[in-house]
Amino acid sequence: MTDAAITCSGLTRCFGNRMAVDRIDLVVPTGAILGLLGRNGAGKTTLLRLMLGLLRPTNGRVDVLGLPAETTDATHRGRIGFLAEDHPVHTWMTVGGLAHHHRAFFPRFDQAVFDSLINRAGLAPRARLGRLSRGQRASACLAATIAGDPDLLILDDPGLGLDTAARRDLLDAILETVRRPGRTVILSSHHMADIDRVADRIAVLDGGILRANCTLDRFRSAIRRFVFHFDAPPREPTLPGLLTWTSDGNDLDVMVVAPDVQPDILAQSIGARSVREVPASLEDICTAYTGPRRPRPTLASTLAKIRSTVVTGG
């Protein structure tokens, strides 16, 4: 088995004059849970559709499980599971019929796994999919997808519109999936708490450009929040790696790409009397990193001062 579940090389996709995915180089290791993040319109769904072979690249390539994504071999396709955000189903079909439908495409389909998952979700095999709630349909679709025993599970915001309990059940099922050796998951989600709970790696898209590709721990440590105190109201800061800033009286609250900087040295460089580092949530970090307020420096450009690449590592 290859060490990479997915390899993107110069992957580009244009729609007319609009570049939705811009020369992405990305390797997703086998066994990883990758959280794919970005604002609406950042290119996440386009990237997933390229990985699934539903779109062809304008330039570059993407290999999935060792073969080009557009490979149509049924055995290869049967190793990839996909769940879309709107959980599309045939409304006339029953929950049990959904399993029968998936069995035709996934030769390793495990009926016992499917039965266990729908039982946990409180779904009857004879229930019509069209009469289920959004959360129940999501549970049924996820059960069928996971029961197919995919080596690669791609989830495009599957928790969208679900209540807290339904999202928790969905995440539990995802975690059970990757406990099996060699299973890889890509989870695109707007719920930062979901990413924080299950992912061990993160990729951040911003305007079709890959801005971060690293472990979740690396991303957290690279972007830091400081509150500086001055003797007088501060002016707009000029800090290397500055993402966002706000002022309140004599205090200046900033977020910067600064994985290795010493807070006291940073305070001294801008004439602050004191500084304290405060924790930032993953949502705060991602919002600052992809926010529109000012050009976003990257970790590599901050450290090297001259290049514009991505937050990488791990």
Side-chain angles (χ1 to χ4, degrees), residues 254-297:
V254 305
M255 292 189 70
V256 294
V257 183
D260 302 315
V261 72
Q262 295 297 320
D264 290 342
I265 295 176
L266 197 60
Q268 184 179 9
S269 72
I270 59 173
R273 175 176 289 275
S274 63
V275 60
R276 71 181 190 275
E277 185 168 359
V278 297
S281 69
L282 182 60
E283 184 171 3
D284 290 338
I285 291 171
C286 290
T287 299
Y289 196 67
T290 61
R293 300 184 196 178
R294 61 185 68 252
R296 273 81 67 193

Side-chain angles (χ1 to χ4, degrees), residues 39-62:
R39 291 170 174 260
N40 289 332
K44 301 187 302 298
T45 295
T46 299
L47 178 58
L48 295 181
R49 290 173 66 84
L50 287 165
M51 291 176 175
L52 289 163
L54 300 177
L55 289 174
R56 288 185 176 271
T58 303
N59 285 302
R61 63 179 290 160
V62 52

Side-chain angles (χ1 to χ4, degrees), residues 18-134:
R18 183 175 69 88
M19 189 174 291
V21 170
D22 188 357
R23 293 165 292 181
I24 286 180
D25 294 318
L26 172 67
V27 175
V28 182
T30 298
I33 306 180
L34 176 73
L36 181 61
L37 299 175
R39 291 170 174 260
N40 289 332
K44 301 187 302 298
T45 295
T46 299
L47 178 58
L48 295 181
R49 290 173 66 84
L50 287 165
M51 291 176 175
L52 289 163
L54 300 177
L55 289 174
R56 288 185 176 271
T58 303
N59 285 302
R61 63 179 290 160
V62 52
D63 292 334
V64 178
L65 302 178
L67 293 175
E70 58 268 26
T71 299
T72 58
D73 176 78
T75 300
H76 180 73
R77 304 298 296 177
R79 298 174 59 198
I80 304 168
F82 173 59
L83 185 60
E85 62 181 359
D86 53 353
H87 317 117
V89 295
H90 297 295
T91 56
W92 51 265
M93 190 177 288
T94 64
V95 172
L98 182 64
H100 180 77
H101 175 76
H102 273 65
R103 192 180 298 113
F105 298 97
F106 296 92
R108 301 190 310 213
F109 191 89
D110 191 327
Q111 186 67 41
V113 170
F114 179 82
D115 292 341
S116 174
L117 290 173
I118 65 169
N119 285 338
R120 189 170 68 180
L123 299 176
R126 293 186 179 183
R128 296 278 179 187
L129 295 174
R131 296 179 180 178
L132 300 180
S133 69
R134 185 182 182 93

